[in-house]
Amino acid sequence: MAEILIIDDDLDVCETMESLITRLTHECVSAHTLDSGLRLMHEKAFDVIFLDVRLPDGNGLDILPDIMAMPDPPEVIILTGKGDPDGAELAIRGGVWDYLLKPSSIREISLTLGRALKYHEEKRGRDGDRGLELNGVVGDSPIIKVSFNLLSQAARSETNVLITGETGTGKELFASTIHANSKRKSGNFVVVDCAGLTESLLESTLYGHRKGAFTGAQSDRIGLVKLADGGTLFLDEVGEMPLSMQKAFLRVLQERTFRPVGDTREQTSDFRLVAATNRNLDEMVEKGTFRSDLLYRLKTMHIHLPPLRERPEDIKALCIYRVSQLCRQYGMPPKSFGSDFNPALESYDWPGNVRELFNILERAVVTSGNEKTLYAMHLPRELRIQIAKAQIERMTNAAPDEEPSAPYTEPVRKIGQDIFEDIFEQELPTLRDFKSTAEKVYLGELIRQCDGDLARILEVSKLSRSHFYGLLKKYGLSL
């Protein structure tokens, strides 16, 4: 007997499906909003969830990452209205089992539910066989857990995998983790950097060559395709592979046979292919710079790694992992984190993603030396300046629907940024002292620029005469 949850605001649909599912001897409950559905999911484990797309408090597709991040995620069947192809596409991309068009027949609902339950039971059995070794793969956010689930599926299969994501998101780490958890883990994990090789070198590197095949070929060389025999061949930055090479590699991928440069005999290699790219291969196909038939072969299974800016909640876990690793590497005692350290990192966009974060953390560890705690002050100066500028930009640029009480002009914003740059390399004064110093500097510069002309001073500063003379007395200044 399975546990089924229906999340739909149409009471008639819920009653009809509850009646059908109960007759199939399963337990069934309904929720009519996303919020109530999520509460039920956290109170009880379900095997299958029927999820409507359009609900009173939001889009059902928005909670897919939360569902997929559960320890034993249920299979999700999306309920979508006719004439909504985008909803079906987004649902499938989000990792759901299937989707049904409303209204659906009793037969369609029964068949889809039966298949989903069978798959869920088989998946649960496979997942119970062994846990994944996720050395270095860190994160707890719902969006990265979707990628973890796909990684688990890829590790259990022999299919080709394409990993996409921005530079620095960890594509090679995911590829090596797939290999380490697969049946081929005793074989070689062979990396081919397609971006770092010319067309002539790529062919020789992939397939090997015979002595005398070309100038400089002074001995036979085994290609990387052969070295991956029985293991995994990882094509990094596959989008950089020359178009002329793609056809030849497609044949190798289909037949698992190849011919070394300068040889007349074909060789075989039983490799598993994992490829990665930071480029949009679908757009490249449209432009004619990447073969569609090769993309179909590469993309049998697709894992997309989200950029770090979309999962800032993972930064803390990544920091703990990397700093612990660095402390062991440098022979330092473990370090803790000051209360300002993680918030500073979370306010940055990380265009270089996890790779950039790890480099920054290494610099912070080196800078801190034997100190036991890492503070924001240990971060590189240029990073802190960028963070400060971003914060100032957010503070001085209200959203379109906001009405700031005192909008800042560009000169004021620039002065603010410059002040923050100047004070970054020293301990911050109290706010009162900082304001007093800034006020005194402003008054001195005001008098200088206005040549002591009281009328101009009052016009520029918008101060009253009495207030201005009061400030002069306060700071010991004169015209």
Side-chain angles (χ1 to χ4, degrees):
M1 183 173 64
E3 299 286 347
I4 314 296
L5 170 64
I6 304 167
I7 305 178
D8 196 315
D9 60 335
D10 189 322
L11 299 181
D12 291 335
V13 169
C14 290
E15 289 178 6
T16 301
M17 294 186 69
E18 277 189 53
S19 175
L20 168 62
I21 292 167
T22 303
R23 289 203 304 272
L24 294 172
T25 69
H26 300 305
E27 291 289 333
C28 182
V29 293
S30 295
H32 308 304
T33 63
L34 290 179
D35 185 56
S36 58
L38 283 169
R39 281 203 305 271
L40 287 170
M41 278 184 263
H42 288 112
E43 293 169 2
K44 186 177 185 179
F46 291 96
D47 300 291
V48 172
I49 295 176
F50 287 92
L51 178 62
D52 191 16
V53 174
R54 304 182 188 282
L55 289 154
D57 54 344
N59 190 315
L61 302 178
D62 292 340
I63 67 168
L64 284 178
D66 298 285
I67 297 174
M68 299 304 171
M70 292 179 174
D72 180 19
E75 307 312 317
V76 179
I77 300 172
I78 290 292
L79 301 173
T80 182
K82 290 184 178 178
D84 187 16
D86 291 339
E89 178 186 351
L90 289 170
I92 293 170
R93 288 185 184 278
V96 306
W97 165 254
D98 203 351
Y99 69 95
L100 289 172
L101 294 175
K102 295 194 295 183
S104 294
S105 67
I106 292 175
R107 182 175 179 276
E108 285 178 309
I109 296 171
S110 301
L111 284 174
T112 302
L113 176 60
R115 291 169 184 152
L117 288 172
K118 183 178 179 181
Y119 171 78
H120 188 69
E121 195 61 36
E122 291 175 354
K123 184 179 74 173
R124 182 177 287 166
R126 291 194 303 267
D127 290 344
D129 293 341
R130 57 183 173 85
L132 288 177
E133 296 177 13
L134 296 175
N135 185 29
V137 182
V138 178
D140 295 309
S141 62
I143 193 171
I144 198 63
K145 284 192 174 181
V146 172
S147 301
F148 288 174
N149 290 335
L150 292 171
L151 185 153
S152 176
Q153 294 174 30
R156 293 194 304 265
S157 72
E158 289 281 291
T159 191
N160 299 332
V161 181
L162 177 64
I163 305 173
T164 59
E166 295 178 8
T167 298
T169 48
K171 297 185 289 295
E172 184 172 343
L173 175 62
F174 256 64
S176 62
T177 304
I178 290 171
H179 170 76
N181 288 278
S182 71
K183 296 177 181 177
R184 295 174 175 265
K185 62 182 178 181
S186 58
N188 294 325
F189 177 74
V190 181
V191 180
V192 182
D193 181 8
C194 298
L197 297 171
T198 62
E199 183 173 343
S200 56
L201 278 177
L202 184 59
E203 187 174 13
S204 173
T205 302
L206 281 175
Y207 312 131
H209 60 251
R210 292 297 176 219
K211 180 180 178 180
F214 51 85
T215 303
Q218 299 177 354
S219 61
D220 290 352
R221 176 181 176 180
I222 298 176
L224 296 182
V225 169
K226 188 63 179 177
L227 285 177
D229 192 5
T232 301
L233 181 69
F234 175 54
L235 292 184
D236 195 16
E237 299 305 339
V238 68
E240 308 298 328
M241 181 181 284
L243 190 60
S244 56
M245 281 288 297
Q246 293 174 23
K247 182 177 181 181
F249 186 74
L250 177 63
R251 181 179 178 276
V252 174
L253 192 55
Q254 290 173 329
E255 307 297 334
R256 292 300 197 271
T257 61
F258 63 95
R259 184 181 294 115
V261 178
D263 201 347
T264 58
R265 296 166 298 175
E266 287 198 332
Q267 298 183 14
T268 61
S269 178
D270 174 27
F271 61 89
R272 193 262 181 93
L273 182 73
V274 179
T277 183
N278 61 4
R279 302 184 66 179
N280 189 322
L281 297 186
D282 292 305
E283 287 185 359
M284 292 180 67
V285 168
E286 291 179 6
K287 294 176 181 177
T289 56
F290 202 86
R291 292 181 63 98
S292 59
D293 46 5
L294 177 57
L295 177 57
Y296 297 147
R297 285 282 181 176
L298 298 177
K299 208 174 181 179
T300 306
M301 185 170 187
H302 179 206
I303 301 175
H304 179 71
L305 300 187
L308 190 54
R309 63 181 173 275
E310 293 181 6
R311 52 183 189 110
E313 59 267 51
D314 288 334
I315 288 177
K316 182 178 179 180
L318 288 164
C319 287
I320 293 171
Y321 167 79
R322 181 58 174 163
V323 170
S324 298
Q325 189 182 53
L326 289 167
C327 288
R328 290 193 300 269
Q329 179 182 330
Y330 288 118
M332 295 177 173
K335 293 181 183 290
S336 60
F337 301 94
S339 59
D340 63 343
F341 191 78
N342 284 316
L345 297 179
E346 290 168 7
S347 64
Y348 182 56
D349 280 343
W350 298 108
N353 293 295
V354 179
R355 182 182 298 150
E356 183 184 9
L357 172 64
F358 280 11
N359 288 337
I360 291 294
L361 290 174
E362 184 165 8
R363 290 176 64 181
V365 167
V366 171
T367 301
S368 66
N370 292 324
E371 296 177 42
K372 296 181 179 180
T373 305
L374 288 175
Y375 295 100
M377 277 295 294
H378 293 125
L379 296 170
R381 183 175 186 269
E382 59 270 21
L383 177 69
R384 301 205 315 277
I385 290 172
Q386 288 186 57
I387 292 171
K389 285 183 175 180
Q391 289 173 337
I392 293 167
E393 192 71 25
R394 284 195 292 270
M395 287 188 292
T396 58
N397 281 301
D401 57 344
E402 295 178 355
E403 290 295 335
S405 56
Y408 294 91
T409 63
E410 186 58 35
V412 171
R413 186 180 297 114
K414 180 66 171 65
I415 290 170
Q417 291 174 350
D418 291 343
I419 289 172
F420 271 92
E421 289 190 26
D422 289 339
I423 68 174
F424 257 127
E425 290 307 305
Q426 54 189 300
E427 191 172 332
L428 286 173
T430 65
L431 179 60
R432 183 176 180 177
D433 289 344
F434 181 75
K435 288 169 71 175
S436 295
T437 302
E439 201 167 44
K440 183 176 181 180
V441 170
Y442 175 83
L443 288 170
E445 186 61 17
L446 175 68
I447 294 169
R448 188 191 69 79
Q449 289 193 20
C450 295
D451 294 323
D453 184 336
L454 181 60
R456 283 187 61 199
I457 288 172
L458 298 180
E459 181 183 357
V460 170
S461 66
K462 306 303 181 189
L463 293 169
S464 67
R465 183 186 296 264
S466 59
H467 190 182
F468 173 66
Y469 277 113
L471 290 173
L472 289 183
K473 183 177 179 180
K474 176 181 177 181
Y475 295 113
L477 298 173
S478 67
L479 292 176

